[in-house]
Amino acid sequence: MSSELQKLWEHAGGQLPADWTIAPLESFFRDAKGIAVGVMYPGPDTPGGTPLLKVGDIKDGVALRPTYCISAATDEEHRRTKLVGDELLITLVGNPGECIVVTPEMVGWNPARAIAVIRLQDISLRTYLKTVLESTAGRHLIDAVLNTTVQKTLNLKDIRKLPIPLPTDAEIKWISGISEALTNRITLLRETNATLEAIAQALFKSWFVDFDPVRAKMQGRAPQGMDEATAALFPDGLEESALGSVPKGWRVQSLDTIAAFLNGLALQKFPPTGHSDLPIIKIAQLRKGNSVGSDQASRNIKPEYVVKNGDVLFSWSGSLEVEIWCGGEGALNQHLFKVTSEAFPKWFYFFWTRHHLADFRQTAASKATTMGHIQRGHLTAAKVCISTAAVLNAANSVLEPIVAILIQNSLQAQSLVTLRETLLPRLISGQLHLHPDVSEHTAVIV
């Protein structure tokens, strides 16, 4: 058995040093029922219910808090897969084989059917197993057993048989420590960004959507969170407009007049040349935040269709999203807008597009087509309120630095993801050994 597993591992590009052993993944399960799929029939979204973890909530090995919840009855029906904090999760569709080590914050969640829940005899092995399964050899093995009849799907019986190389206990501990340190740093950067973005969005909404400073002055109160000089920039009354009541002296325009929405190219017309090609950025790449494994296109496209870090991208078809791209240089595919403006700062058109995203999604969902979408007319119908230049400058002094930090943190997180994906495969193949002293201090260095 072990010789067959070794052949599989080495055929996939892995290496097995002479002093290592190898075993099937199922040999680490707690018992014969150590693997199960999540909730089969989640039912309607139930605010206040049990968070349902979907594949879309997983990004670069990190689980974001789910926004969709299931009822208590559905949760009870699927209590077998309810997370208690000691599980390893593996995605079955979308990006099959992506793993999540369940953290204390995830206790009480329940995963969807597209995610397998694995319970182990020794939970200290979770990070090591995740590292093996997400290594280059591990991914090759998973790709080889995917069912591609409808969409790429990983079956539980194939997961059970996946080979796991085993170094000494000390090396497993070192490798797990490095992997955890990198993942924790990536998570911290993303959590910081989530907090900063929430702060920035709250300020934007208060000033430009809810007009809180203006309403405070109308009521004879001093606007909160600003000095007298800034408060003096706001008018003390509202007037009617196409958008309803807006501050006196401010104007209303369409979303597509404050920024240019450049639609991407049908990039199959620009096949790769094998020299300095660009990864194609599609909706899937926008959702996961990087272009790893994407198709390639020739660099022979107009410069405006080249996406760079810091660009605002808006997927207007299928899964509608608005994000600041930090996944490296790439080519803009059709169904994506690159949003730019020469007249307004990035945060202004980014948050205004985000502000209208819920309505855009509702419009797309109402389309009687296989892939919902919006049209340019919907950009024109979406209105924005534009303040005086003085208020815009005051907001810019706060929001522009925040956006700069968001981009910097995202780029740093992406660099750590690349480091993790480069370093760890070498460690689990025995190609690279770390001195124990180095391993113990890795967390500090990261």
Side-chain angles (χ1 to χ4, degrees):
M1 179 66 173
S2 61
S3 62
E4 294 177 5
L5 292 174
Q6 182 174 349
K7 287 180 182 177
L8 276 175
W9 180 250
E10 292 178 346
H11 184 71
Q15 296 183 25
L16 193 70
D19 57 340
W20 290 23
T21 59
I22 196 164
L25 180 58
E26 64 180 351
S27 66
F28 302 94
F29 292 175
R30 182 177 303 172
D31 52 41
K33 297 181 179 179
I35 186 169
V37 296
V39 177
M40 297 289 286
Y41 305 105
D45 186 16
T46 307
T50 298
L52 180 74
L53 182 67
K54 298 182 178 182
V55 171
D57 298 319
I58 298 174
K59 192 170 184 179
D60 289 332
V62 176
L64 308 177
R65 184 171 182 81
T67 56
Y68 195 99
C69 294
I70 58 176
S71 68
T74 303
D75 184 45
E76 174 61 20
E77 184 181 350
H78 296 85
R79 59 185 179 279
R80 180 185 171 192
T81 53
K82 186 162 185 167
L83 303 181
V84 299
D86 63 359
E87 301 88 347
L88 177 66
L89 309 181
I90 181 168
T91 57
L92 305 177
V93 299
N95 181 27
E98 188 167 11
C99 298
I100 292 289
V101 174
V102 175
T103 60
E105 295 78 16
M106 299 167 65
V107 172
W109 299 3
N110 215 326
R113 62 180 298 183
I115 299 173
V117 179
I118 296 176
R119 292 195 164 92
L120 303 167
Q121 299 175 42
D122 181 356
I123 64 172
S124 70
L125 290 176
R126 292 183 299 166
T127 300
Y128 177 73
L129 294 176
K130 167 184 166 67
T131 305
V132 172
L133 295 172
E134 294 185 343
S135 68
T136 303
R139 289 194 179 280
H140 283 169
L141 287 166
I142 288 172
D143 288 344
V145 297
L146 292 179
N147 182 335
T148 58
T149 304
V150 179
Q151 62 175 333
K152 292 181 178 179
T153 304
L154 184 59
N155 296 315
L156 299 190
K157 65 180 180 58
D158 294 316
I159 294 176
R160 289 175 173 273
K161 306 301 180 186
L162 290 170
I164 305 296
L166 289 168
T168 64
D169 290 345
E171 285 174 298
I172 288 177
K173 183 179 178 181
W174 298 337
I175 293 170
S176 298
I178 292 171
S179 180
E180 284 182 351
L182 289 168
T183 299
N184 290 343
R185 180 59 177 154
I186 293 166
T187 302
L188 179 60
L189 286 167
R190 289 181 174 152
E191 289 176 346
T192 301
N193 267 10
T195 301
L196 286 174
E197 186 172 322
I199 292 172
Q201 191 143 13
L203 177 63
F204 169 82
K205 185 171 182 291
S206 174
W207 285 26
F208 298 98
V209 178
D210 296 334
F211 316 129
D212 289 336
V214 178
R215 296 184 190 281
K217 293 179 73 170
M218 290 172 64
Q219 295 170 6
R221 296 183 289 108
Q224 294 183 341
M226 62 183 67
D227 56 29
E228 290 186 8
T230 304
L233 302 175
F234 289 86
D236 57 3
L238 301 173
E239 60 188 9
E240 288 304 308
S241 73
L243 195 59
S245 297
V246 300
K248 288 180 180 177
W250 293 20
R251 65 187 193 276
V252 174
Q253 292 183 198
S254 296
L255 180 61
D256 58 355
T257 65
I258 66 167
F261 291 76
L262 176 70
N263 191 27
L265 297 169
L267 288 167
Q268 65 269 27
K269 297 178 181 177
F270 300 87
T273 63
H275 177 68
S276 192
D277 294 321
L278 291 169
I280 297 176
I281 300 173
K282 303 179 183 178
I283 296 173
Q285 282 68 46
L286 179 62
R287 284 179 61 83
K288 69 177 184 176
N290 63 62
S291 57
V292 175
S294 69
D295 297 332
Q296 301 283 304
S298 167
R299 187 176 285 272
N300 187 28
I301 56 177
K302 291 182 178 178
E304 56 264 38
Y305 292 100
V306 175
V307 176
K308 297 183 178 178
N309 291 327
D311 284 342
V312 174
L313 300 185
F314 173 23
S315 59
W316 54 269
S317 176
S319 176
L320 274 63
E321 304 285 349
V322 181
E323 299 290 347
I324 298 177
W325 175 258
C326 292
E329 192 178 44
L332 186 70
N333 195 52
Q334 57 189 346
H335 303 301
L336 289 181
F337 287 131
K338 185 166 87 171
V339 190
T340 59
S341 177
E342 295 182 356
F344 295 94
K346 181 174 297 180
W347 59 266
F348 191 73
Y349 57 84
F350 172 68
F351 283 125
W352 268 118
T353 308
R354 272 277 183 88
H355 174 73
H356 288 290
L357 188 58
D359 288 339
F360 289 153
R361 284 173 172 164
Q362 190 171 14
T363 298
S366 66
K367 297 283 185 183
T369 62
T370 54
M371 182 178 287
H373 62 276
I374 63 167
Q375 299 171 324
R376 284 195 176 273
H378 296 113
L379 300 176
T380 304
K383 303 301 181 186
V384 305
C385 187
I386 301 174
S387 68
T388 60
V391 171
L392 197 63
N393 289 337
N396 194 54
S397 67
V398 177
L399 295 176
E400 188 174 62
I402 293 179
V403 170
I405 295 173
L406 289 174
I407 294 172
Q408 182 182 22
N409 285 349
S410 294
L411 292 175
Q412 187 178 356
Q414 193 58 45
S415 296
L416 291 173
V417 169
T418 302
L419 174 63
R420 184 177 63 187
E421 294 179 353
T422 303
L423 175 64
L424 295 179
R426 287 175 166 76
L427 291 172
I428 64 165
S429 67
Q431 293 176 311
L432 182 63
H433 294 276
L434 288 181
H435 188 281
D437 291 341
V438 175
S439 303
E440 290 175 2
H441 293 291
T442 299
V444 178
I445 295 171
V446 170

